[in-house]
């Protein structure tokens, strides 16, 4: 890293791996107020969800998760976004999350989610806060 | 699925993450993961304002982000040609109230490039010159990267 060179303000990380025979691309991008996480097997962003922490007085944070584009009848996707925003919040970020899931088989989410979370945690720790 | 295989795959990804997170130059930077994803980041100055551009190319879709002197995500729009008459449709997904600064940009990107576009745009409203300039630079870059489809 060249410290003297001005840096691009958005950092990102990409990963390509094989999940049950399907090539899967993961891109994590960090903006000032949001994380963008793209997981795709279909060559497009697929279903896009938006998740954010609600400002409130209660000690326990509440989250708002919604599907903004794509499949609205797949609760696993909403659960995935919710888990991820809770994780992001617990890691000390107050950023929102834009999650894009373009999967061939949505049941895969259940299997890979823990490892995916571990990967996200590594990337988040590497990114400047 | 073998849980150990998944764990190993993500473990390998950790190494990749450590390397790929170091994308820290203002010059144009394109990363290619050997697969269907290419990420291009560049910045340009327009009238004393720094415009930041990020283009993520997927096989069937392009995601683009335009930032204006900051790294805020902005409003999110989706635009594509739709049946039956192949006209361009655009919808706001996140944000995008009455100013809709990015929706016109998203629509014209599809018109000029023939691509399926998801655009995140943080341009200030009431700056048509800046909007036009950002759009022009983005289109030029998409053409120079060879992403555009021939227009009939």
């Amino acid at each position: 890293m060249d410290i003297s060179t001005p840096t691009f303000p958005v950092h990102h990380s990409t990963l390509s791996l094989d999940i049950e025979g399907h090539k899967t691309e993961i891109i994590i991008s960090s903006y000032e107020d949001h994380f963008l996480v793209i997981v795709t097997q279909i060559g497009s962003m697929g279903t896009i969800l938006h998740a954010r922490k609600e400002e409130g007085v209660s000690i326990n944070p509440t989250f708002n998760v919604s599907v903004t584009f794509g499949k609205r009848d797949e609760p696993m996707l909403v659960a995935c976004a919710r888990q991820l925003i809770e994780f992001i919040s617990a890691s000390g970020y107050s950023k929102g999350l834009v999650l894009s899931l373009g999967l061939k088989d949505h049941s895969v989410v259940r299997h890979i989610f823990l490892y995916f979370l571990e990967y996200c945690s590594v990337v988040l720790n590497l990114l400047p806060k | 699925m073998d849980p150990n295989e998944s764990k190993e795959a993500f473990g390998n990804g950790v190494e990749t993450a450590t390397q790929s997170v170091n994308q820290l130059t203002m010059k144009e930077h394109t990363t290619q993961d050997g697969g269907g994803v290419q990420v291009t980041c560049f910045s340009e100055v327009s009238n004393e304002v720094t415009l930041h551009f990020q283009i993520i190319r997927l096989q069937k879709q392009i995601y683009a982000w335009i930032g204006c002197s900051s790294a805020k995500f902005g409003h999110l729009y989706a635009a594509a040609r739709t049946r039956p008459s192949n006209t361009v449709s655009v919808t706001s997904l996140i944000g995008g109230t009455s100013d809709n600064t990015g929706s016109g940009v998203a629509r014209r990107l599809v018109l000029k490039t023939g691509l399926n576009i998801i655009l995140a745009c943080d341009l200030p409203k009431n700056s048509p010159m800046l909007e036009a300039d950002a759009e022009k630079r983005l289109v030029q870059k998409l053409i120079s990267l060879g992403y555009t489809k021939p227009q009939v």
Side-chain angles (χ1 to χ4, degrees):
Chain A
M1 180 170 101
D2 182 359
I3 301 170
S4 61
T5 310
T7 61
F8 191 76
V10 175
H11 305 284
H12 71 272
S13 171
T14 58
L15 172 66
S16 183
L17 71 161
D18 192 282
I19 296 177
E20 285 198 336
H22 298 306
K23 184 160 186 202
T24 309
E25 313 282 356
I26 301 178
I27 304 121
I28 299 177
S29 210
S30 173
Y31 303 89
E32 187 180 311
D33 54 350
H34 278 85
F35 283 111
L36 170 68
V37 178
I38 301 173
V39 183
T40 180
Q41 298 174 328
I42 59 176
S44 67
M45 286 178 75
T47 300
I48 302 176
L49 302 104
H50 186 210
R52 54 192 184 282
K53 188 161 85 172
E54 309 243 278
E55 297 304 317
V57 293
S58 143
I59 299 168
N60 297 319
T62 52
F63 302 95
N64 186 306
V65 183
S66 60
V67 177
T68 64
F69 190 78
K71 291 183 81 69
R72 291 166 200 272
D73 58 353
E74 187 63 58
M76 206 60 202
L77 305 182
V78 177
C80 186
R82 171 140 186 149
Q83 285 266 285
L84 201 45
I85 188 64
E86 282 193 36
F87 173 77
I88 287 170
S89 173
S91 302
Y93 295 95
S94 54
K95 299 187 193 186
L97 166 70
V98 177
L99 175 64
S100 140
L101 291 171
L103 304 172
K104 291 196 167 153
D105 173 11
H106 292 109
S107 68
V108 165
V109 172
R110 206 173 288 138
H111 297 304
I112 67 165
F113 190 72
L114 279 177
Y115 306 119
F116 170 62
L117 212 53
E118 197 179 306
Y119 172 70
C120 285
S121 77
V122 171
V123 174
L124 293 188
N125 286 328
L126 290 170
L127 295 170
K129 278 202 164 101
Chain B
M1 159 178 285
D2 184 349
N4 288 329
E5 279 178 8
S6 298
K7 195 168 185 186
E8 190 185 326
F10 279 100
N12 292 336
V14 164
E15 278 186 46
T16 312
T18 314
Q19 290 158 16
S20 74
V21 153
N22 295 320
Q23 325 277 344
L24 300 176
T25 61
M26 193 72 122
K27 295 178 297 186
E28 176 189 316
H29 189 100
T30 302
T31 54
Q32 185 159 353
D33 211 6
V37 174
Q38 289 163 318
V39 184
T40 303
C41 302
F42 64 101
S43 301
E44 297 191 11
V45 177
S46 163
N47 275 349
E48 297 172 0
V49 157
T50 305
L51 292 171
H52 301 295
F53 299 87
Q54 181 189 45
I55 301 170
I56 299 179
R57 186 217 197 180
L58 307 171
Q59 276 174 316
K60 300 179 195 170
Q61 200 170 52
I62 297 262
Y63 162 84
W65 170 75
I66 306 175
C68 181
S69 301
S70 82
K72 288 207 163 79
F73 187 70
H75 300 158
L76 190 65
Y77 302 91
R81 289 195 179 273
T82 51
R83 293 175 291 191
S85 53
N86 233 24
T87 49
V88 178
S89 299
V90 59
T91 183
S92 135
L93 305 183
I94 297 173
T97 49
S98 54
D99 56 26
N100 281 330
T101 309
S103 69
V105 176
R107 192 175 156 274
R108 286 185 295 275
L109 279 177
V110 175
L111 276 170
K112 291 177 190 176
T113 64
L115 301 162
N116 201 323
I117 294 278
I118 303 283
L119 175 72
C121 179
D122 187 43
L123 293 170
K125 49 185 176 180
N126 302 325
S127 294
M129 295 295 289
L130 189 62
E131 190 181 324
D133 196 29
E135 180 187 319
K136 186 182 80 175
R137 290 170 195 254
L138 186 54
V139 170
Q140 276 172 353
K141 179 58 72 174
L142 288 171
I143 292 170
S144 75
L145 287 168
Y147 293 166
T148 56
K149 289 184 182 167
Q151 297 296 295
V152 176

